[in-house]
Each structure stands twice: as C-alpha cells, then as structure tokens.
C-alpha cells in the first residue's frame, strides 16, 4: 500500500494503474474512518482493480464559524484501517505547499447550482461549494473510473452525481446505503463528540425517520404528512434542537410534484438536521415507490 501526501505522486500512481489497463476506484474521506467508510472501501474493492482512499479535511467546506476538528483525527489509525481493507493507495492531501491539493495561488471554485441550495445548503452556505471544488480536484488528481459516496450525506451524493455528469468527468459515481448502529443511529465521526446522555438522545433522529418510513409503507403517501410526523417527534424529543426536516423529490431536491411520494419518479427523501449537545447531526431515509411492498434491510438509508 502506497501512502503519500504528494499530489504528484498520487497522480503518477493512478496514471500507472490506468496505463496497465487497471480500473481505479476512489473513496474520498476526511478520516476518522468507521464502518460507513469501510462499506464504501469494500464496494470499491469488489468493483475495481485498484482502490484509492483520500483522507483530507478540506478547509473550504467549513464555514468560518464551524469547527474543523482536524486535530482529533488519528491518521495512523486510519492508515491501519486502509491496510486491513486492502487499499492500494492512501492519499493524505496536504492543504498547503507546492504539492498540496490546493496549489499555491489556487483560483477555481466549483458550484453545483440548484442542488446546493435546499436542506444543509440553507444553513451552511459555503459547504457544498467547498465539497464540489475538492471532489473536482480529487477527480483531476486521481482520475478514478469510479468513486464511492454514502447516502448518509444524501444531498452531497446527489450533488456529486450531477457534478460528475455535468463536467464530463468520466467518473462513475456509486452511492451506498447508510451504515447504522444496532439502535439505528447513523454512523458519523461526529458521534464521538456526544456524551453518553446525548448519544442516547441522538437516537430520536433515526427513530422518527423510521417511524415515518413505516407510515409510508403502511400507505401514507403525502410527503408533508410524513415530514410533519418527523417534525412532531423531534420537536418533542428532549435535548434535540431541530434545524430542519424536509421531504423533497429524491432526484431534484425540489418540493415533490403532485404532493405525493408516488408522484416522484425516484421517490422522496426525508431528511433532518439537528443539534444534540452542540453537535450537528444529519440523517435521512429515502422513500421509494415499491418500498412499501418490499421492506428495505434495516441498514438501508
Ligand atoms: P466524511 O469522511 O464524513 O466526509 O465521509 C466520507 C464518505 O463516507 C462520504 O461519502 C460519506 O457519505 C460516507 N459516510 C459517512 N458516514 C457514513 C455512514 N454512516 N454510512 C455510509 N456512508 C457514510
């Protein structure tokens, strides 16, 4: 396994693989790797000849008031996990200097228009521009055939699918279901910041979403009713400060046409963001026509 923090070396590695006729899969991460990241790496392992993992806490996707929390990350632990998962390249992007992800004098920003606006975009104005820019840079550096993203960050996944297609990157974007704790809480590096009490309270997010999913499976087809069910549960939950709950067309992230889940070709995403003990958490479930007959596995996002 090659571990490098040099952009030029990562590019050369990838060019060698492609030159040898091998397919390259990329899993972009910000480190603090957990089972959610491992599921992406394993999918890449199954589908590609070579697997690259990038570990880079991208400064441009954090608004000024936000805590980057890069200092608590354990890059040795992350590299060890990559080794266990038989990763071929770990690219630890440095953020300054000649051979860094953002080269000196970096000028370019990428913006995915409509998909950046709703949901988290309303509360984190710089976030998706930073994500789109760094993913474009990583695609340019590593030129992967496929790249892997979790539906835990549903809006991000949709935005990157659009970016990859719009910019003719040639990268096939693959998305995978949310990996959860046994009690439903979506895995996130942020969960480590929760006190025991807050960890317990955080369960309210997935419980509310699952309850709405059951209501949908039971025949409730109005996105606004499903959204209000989640809102009611989370407004009543102790220690949970709701930021938003929305039910949007799963493809366009616009208000669902016709006011029904079944009226949307790809169904509806029911998404929430909330603060629990000062930590901002997000979660979602994707409600698709047909799901009400064939239940999703409990790990389904
Ligand atoms: P991050 O390191 O938080 O930027 O996440 C890197 C990738 O892992 C993103 O594509 C996330 O959507 C994905 N990811 C994070 N948490 C989970 C999870 N619980 N299940 C599946 N994918 C996840």
């Amino acid at each position: 396994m090659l571990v490098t923090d040099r952009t030029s070396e990562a590019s050369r590695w990838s060019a060698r693989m492609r030159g040898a006729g091998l397919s390259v899969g990329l899993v972009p991460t910000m480190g603090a790797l957990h089972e959610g990241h491992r599921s992406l790496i394993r999918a890449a392992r199954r589908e590609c000849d070579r697997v690259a993992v990038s570990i880079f806490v991208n400064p441009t996707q954090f608004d000024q008031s936000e805590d980057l929390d890069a200092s608590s990350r354990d890059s040795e632990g992350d590299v060890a996990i990559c080794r266990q998962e038989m990763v071929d390249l770990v690219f630890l992007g440095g953020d300054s200097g000649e051979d860094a992800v953002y080269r000196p004098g970096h000028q370019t920003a990428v913006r995915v228009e409509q998909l950046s606006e709703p949901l988290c975009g309303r509360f984190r104005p710089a976030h998706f521009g930073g994500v789109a820019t760094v993913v474009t840079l990583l695609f340019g550096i590593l030129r992967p055939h496929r790249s892997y993203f979790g539906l835990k960050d549903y809006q991000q996944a949709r935005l990157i699918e659009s970016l990859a297609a719009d910019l003719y990157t040639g990268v096939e974007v693959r998305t995978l279901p949310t990996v959860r704790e046994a009690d439903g809480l979506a895995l996130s590096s942020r969960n480590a910041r929760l006190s025991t009490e807050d960890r317990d309270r955080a369960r309210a997010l997935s419980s509310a979403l699952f309850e709405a999913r059951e209501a949908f499976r039971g025949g409730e087809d109005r996105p606004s009713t499903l959204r209000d069910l989640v809102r009611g549960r989370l407004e009543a939950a102790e220690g949970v400060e709701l930021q938003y709950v929305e039910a949007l067309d799963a493809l366009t992230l616009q208000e669902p046409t016709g006011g029904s889940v079944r009226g949307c070709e790809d169904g509806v995403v029911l998404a929430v963001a909330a603060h629990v003990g000062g930590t901002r958490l997000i979660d979602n479930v994707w409600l698709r026509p047909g799901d009400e007959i064939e239940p999703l596995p409990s790990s389904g996002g």
Side-chain angles (χ1 to χ4, degrees):
M1 185 174 81
L2 175 64
V3 181
T4 182
D5 61 359
R6 297 179 51 189
T7 299
S8 57
E9 195 175 7
S11 286
R12 275 199 302 275
W13 173 89
S14 178
R16 266 202 318 279
M17 299 308 141
R18 282 196 313 278
L22 300 170
S23 61
V24 174
L26 169 66
V27 182
T29 81
M30 297 200 297
L33 302 182
H34 52 60
E35 283 297 323
H37 301 113
R38 284 187 195 254
S39 80
L40 302 181
I41 297 172
R42 287 174 193 161
R45 191 70 279 168
R46 285 194 300 275
E47 297 176 358
C48 306
D49 298 316
R50 294 292 180 269
V51 176
V53 172
S54 62
I55 300 179
F56 178 55
V57 181
N58 172 37
T60 66
Q61 74 188 63
F62 293 89
D63 290 297
Q64 249 169 7
S65 59
E66 292 177 330
D67 165 21
L68 256 78
D69 197 30
S71 57
S72 65
R73 287 169 196 264
D74 168 15
S75 63
E76 269 178 36
D78 289 338
V79 169
I81 287 175
C82 289
R83 213 180 291 282
Q84 281 171 8
E85 297 295 338
M86 295 181 302
V87 168
D88 300 291
L89 171 78
V90 178
F91 175 48
L92 301 166
D95 56 5
S96 64
E98 285 300 328
D99 221 2
V101 173
Y102 292 93
R103 63 180 200 94
H106 177 100
Q107 291 289 308
T108 305
V110 178
R111 187 181 143 72
V112 180
E113 299 285 350
Q114 266 187 13
L115 292 170
S116 299
E117 282 165 18
L119 304 172
C120 292
R122 278 169 45 216
F123 300 92
R124 305 183 72 193
H127 178 65
F128 288 118
V131 169
T133 301
V134 80
V135 169
T136 305
L137 293 174
L138 292 170
F139 284 2
I141 294 163
L142 286 157
R143 311 250 326 266
H145 295 83
R146 300 189 188 89
S147 190
Y148 295 79
F149 296 88
L151 289 171
K152 156 77 166 43
D153 299 278
Y154 189 93
Q155 186 174 14
Q156 169 176 285
R158 286 293 182 220
L159 187 136
I160 288 165
E161 281 174 345
S162 184
L163 176 160
D166 291 349
L167 299 181
Y168 298 96
T169 60
V171 179
E172 181 188 346
V173 172
R174 306 277 291 130
T175 56
L176 285 131
T178 303
V179 177
R180 299 178 180 280
E181 303 279 8
D183 67 2
L185 179 70
L187 293 191
S188 162
S189 53
R190 293 178 180 224
N191 295 352
R193 301 187 206 164
L194 299 169
S195 67
T196 318
E197 200 179 19
D198 288 332
R199 162 68 186 76
D200 227 40
R201 291 169 161 168
R203 263 180 33 212
L205 273 68
S206 55
S207 308
L209 290 168
F210 292 169
E211 196 180 333
R213 185 168 65 187
E214 285 315 306
F216 167 65
R217 286 176 181 164
E220 178 55 69
D221 190 41
R222 288 164 298 181
S224 56
T225 305
L226 296 165
R227 179 198 62 208
D228 292 346
L229 191 162
V230 175
R231 178 174 293 148
R233 289 290 179 267
L234 292 179
E235 280 177 352
E238 197 193 332
V240 175
E241 198 187 312
L242 186 61
Q243 190 172 60
Y244 69 72
V245 47
E246 305 253 23
L248 299 179
D249 181 302
L251 214 51
T252 61
L253 303 185
Q254 304 286 307
E255 286 299 326
T257 40
S260 84
V261 178
R262 286 163 193 82
C264 299
E265 199 185 321
D266 245 10
V268 156
V269 63
L270 195 51
V272 303
H275 285 91
V276 180
T279 298
R280 186 174 182 276
L281 301 174
I282 57 171
D283 199 356
N284 69 82
V285 288
W286 181 7
L287 309 175
R288 277 163 285 189
D291 264 4
E292 61 277 32
I293 302 157
E294 188 82 32
L296 286 172
S298 61
S299 66

